[in-house]
Amino acid sequence: MNTWIKIDKNSDFSIYNLPFGVFSAKLKTKRVGIAIGNMVLDLEAIGALGVFDELNFNKKVFVSDSLNDFISLGKQITVKVREIVQNELCDKSSILTSNPYVFLKQSDVNMHLPIRIGDYTDFYSSIEHATNIGTMFRDPKNALLPNWKHLPVGYHGRASSIVVSGENIYRPKGQVLLNDNTKPEFQKSSRVDFELEMGFVIGKNTNLGDTVSTKEAEDFIFGKVLFNDWSARDIQKWEYVPLGPFLAKSFASSISPWIVTLEALEPFKTIGPIQDPKVLPYLGFEGAKNYDINLEVFIQPEKQNEKTVSLSNFKFMYWNMCQQIAHHTSNGCNINVGDMMASGTISGKDTNSYGSMLELSWAGSKPLDLGNGITRKFIEDNDTVIMRGYCEKGDVRVGFGEVKTKLLKTR
Ligand code: CA
C-alpha cells in the first residue's frame, strides 16, 4: 500500500493501522479522528468534503466526546469508514490532497478518553502471571487454583477511574496489615504497582439472556488499547479474600488514546498456547485467536531518562478474547458498546518479560536497577510508567502509541 502522506517507517500509525480516537484542537469541541503518521485526520472535516457520502449514516457521530455513537453504527459502517480513509490516503488525486486543513499535528491536539466506558471487566488470563502469583503467595507446587485451566477467571472492575494516557494519578491510601500484626493500619500504600495489560472495547450490544459463541465473538470486538491496571499490593493482600480485588485496583487504570481496530490486527494473528486439559465445548474455538503484539514497559523516575523494565508479548495469553467473551456472556449477562475488557497481566516465561513489579522484583526481594544509583521494588511518587506496543511483519507495522501515567503523592 502506497500513501501520499509522508510517514516515518517506524511510525506506529502506518497506512495499515488507522486507529480511532477522540481529540480536541484549540477552541474546538471534541471530535473523532484517525491517526496517520504524526498527524490526526479530522473525520468531521473530511465527511464535509463528501468522502463518506456512499455510506448512509449521520456524520454528527464525528462531533462527540466519545466514539460510542460511531461504534454503535456497527462494523458494516465503521470498517468501511476506515477503508475509505485508507483509499483516500493512497489515491494521489484524492480531494484530501487539496484540503490540508483536515490534517492536524498530533503535537497540536489534546487526546481524550476515547470511549464512555459503561462496564469494565478484568481477566487473569496469563498462565505465567497466575503461576508466579500463586507461587509467591500460596504454594509453588499448586500455584494455579483448580478452576484456572477450565475458565478465564475475571472480576468486575471500576469504570469511573479509567483515565487516558497523560493524566496523572494519586497514590492511594487504604487498610494494610503490617508484618505479623493481627490488626490493620490505615495508611498510604507503599506497594503501588503497574500491570501490563491490553484492553478491548466491545463494539456491539447483546440483550439480557443472549450468549455469544467463540465463533461470533470477533464481531463484538471493536478494537484494542494498551491498559495499565494500577494496583496497590499491600491493600490487595489484606482485602482480596474471599471476593477478589476491590480498592487495591479501583483507584485508577490508564489506557492509550488510540483504539486499534481488530481489522488492522488481522495480519498478526497467531496460534496461542495449547490448552490442556481440553476446555468445555462452549469455550472451544477454531483457528488462530492470539495476536503477536510486542509490549514494552518503561519507568521514568522524576528528571531521569526512561528505563526499560519489561519486554513481553500479547501472544503469551493462555485464554483468548473470543473465549473471554463467550465465558462472559455464557450466563446470559449482556454486554454493551463501550464496555472495556482487560486481559490480565501479560507475563512471559523469561524473568524480563514479567508484566508487574510484583513479579519483576519478586515481591520486593530483588530490586530493579534503573541506573544512576536508582533502584525500584515498586513505583515511587513522581515516577512515570510508560507502556508501548506494536506489531511488525515485513514492512507492515501497526502500533498502539503509548499509555504514559505519572504517579503523584497521596492527595
Ligand atoms: Ca489486572
Side-chain angles (χ1 to χ4, degrees):
M1 239 182 275
N2 278 320
T3 171
W4 47 269
I5 305 266
K6 263 196 191 145
I7 303 173
D8 188 279
K9 72 173 172 53
N10 291 321
S11 173
D12 280 350
F13 307 121
S14 69
I15 188 67
Y16 302 98
N17 190 351
L18 305 180
F20 292 92
V22 171
F23 73 97
S24 63
K26 225 189 220 172
L27 303 175
K28 283 205 173 172
T29 50
K30 291 178 187 173
R31 53 192 56 220
V32 174
I34 278 182
I36 178 79
N38 57 8
M39 315 288 271
V40 179
L41 185 55
D42 182 337
L43 293 190
E44 195 267 335
I46 70 164
L49 295 173
V51 301
F52 302 126
D53 282 0
E54 67 186 78
L55 303 176
N56 186 21
F57 71 96
N58 188 341
K59 313 296 181 296
K60 281 190 180 147
V61 296
F62 292 138
V63 183
S64 174
D65 56 10
S66 79
L67 282 163
N68 293 51
D69 290 344
F70 173 67
I71 295 172
S72 294
L73 296 171
K75 288 210 188 208
Q76 67 274 19
I77 298 290
T78 60
V79 167
K80 287 218 176 89
V81 163
R82 188 172 155 271
E83 281 171 7
I84 288 172
V85 168
Q86 205 162 41
N87 290 337
E88 292 292 333
L89 295 176
C90 291
D91 175 4
K92 287 194 179 72
S93 60
S94 164
I95 190 166
L96 305 189
T97 58
S98 51
N99 291 281
Y101 66 89
V102 301
F103 296 95
L104 294 103
K105 279 189 191 157
Q106 280 173 24
S107 53
D108 287 345
V109 304
N110 290 315
M111 295 306 299
H112 303 279
L113 196 68
I115 39 171
R116 196 170 58 245
I117 302 167
D119 279 299
Y120 154 49
T121 300
D122 193 22
F123 287 95
Y124 188 57
S125 289
S126 152
I127 195 165
E128 287 81 9
H129 173 69
T131 304
N132 285 340
I133 301 303
T135 300
M136 245 181 271
F137 292 110
R138 285 189 305 270
D139 173 8
K141 286 192 194 104
N142 296 292
L144 294 178
L145 288 170
N147 60 5
W148 200 90
K149 286 186 167 180
H150 293 282
L151 57 88
V153 170
Y155 68 95
H156 288 107
R158 182 79 193 166
S160 69
S161 53
I162 300 179
V163 300
V164 74
S165 178
E167 271 192 49
N168 299 326
I169 64 161
Y170 301 92
R171 177 178 299 277
K173 292 174 282 195
Q175 278 200 21
V176 300
L177 190 68
L178 299 171
N179 305 320
D180 298 326
N181 294 2
T182 52
K183 283 183 184 163
E185 311 283 333
F186 185 81
Q187 62 176 44
K188 284 186 285 189
S189 168
S190 60
R191 296 193 149 203
V192 174
D193 198 355
F194 62 79
E195 286 190 341
L196 169 65
E197 305 196 15
M198 297 203 76
F200 64 91
V201 176
I202 294 295
K204 192 172 164 182
N205 297 343
T206 65
N207 294 313
L208 209 55
D210 287 352
T211 57
V212 176
S213 69
T214 55
K215 201 171 179 178
E216 300 161 318
E218 284 172 4
D219 206 28
F220 288 80
I221 303 172
F222 178 73
K224 293 183 65 59
V225 291
L226 300 167
F227 194 103
N228 182 350
D229 177 24
W230 289 91
S231 304
R233 300 303 181 192
D234 39 5
I235 298 172
Q236 185 179 358
K237 194 176 177 188
W238 171 236
E239 76 172 3
Y240 88 102
V241 176
L243 289 185
F246 183 31
L247 303 182
K249 301 278 188 173
S250 64
F251 63 96
S253 312
S254 21
I255 65 170
S256 52
W258 294 106
I259 306 179
V260 176
T261 65
L262 211 58
E263 290 70 35
L265 295 170
E266 188 66 25
F268 308 101
K269 271 188 164 169
T270 185
I271 302 284
I274 291 166
Q275 297 183 329
D276 181 26
K278 201 166 181 272
V279 296
L280 287 169
Y282 80 99
L283 291 171
F285 64 96
E286 283 172 21
K289 296 289 181 198
N290 278 39
Y291 293 83
D292 186 356
I293 305 173
N294 299 295
L295 298 167
E296 307 167 321
V297 186
F298 308 82
I299 296 177
Q300 183 178 24
E302 184 82 336
K303 298 194 174 89
Q304 299 287 326
N305 292 327
E306 62 185 46
K307 173 93 185 195
T308 310
V309 293
S310 177
L311 297 171
S312 189
N313 195 303
F314 189 59
K315 71 183 176 189
F316 300 144
M317 301 312 289
Y318 187 87
W319 295 101
N320 61 58
M321 294 184 286
C322 293
Q323 293 179 307
Q324 290 168 343
I325 290 182
H327 186 63
H328 205 300
T329 59
S330 62
N331 65 347
C333 170
N334 52 335
I335 53 175
N336 288 305
V337 167
D339 285 356
M340 176 69 77
M341 311 238 171
S343 57
T345 308
I346 305 163
S347 294
K349 286 191 171 62
D350 300 334
T351 52
N352 69 349
S353 66
Y354 293 167
S356 65
M357 289 301 279
L358 181 63
E359 295 161 273
L360 289 163
S361 76
W362 208 255
S365 64
K366 295 184 214 164
L368 295 193
D369 183 0
L370 302 187
N372 286 350
I374 300 171
T375 60
R376 286 289 182 272
K377 296 175 179 172
F378 291 95
I379 305 302
E380 300 289 329
D381 288 350
N382 300 315
D383 282 356
T384 299
V385 174
I386 306 157
M387 295 175 178
R388 300 195 180 102
Y390 64 95
C391 314
E392 234 168 16
K393 203 174 197 177
D395 289 341
V396 180
R397 183 180 164 108
V398 169
F400 288 80
E402 63 182 21
V403 53
K404 183 172 184 176
T405 313
K406 190 170 183 176
L407 176 70
L408 301 182
K409 68 179 184 359
T410 307
R411 241 206 334 201

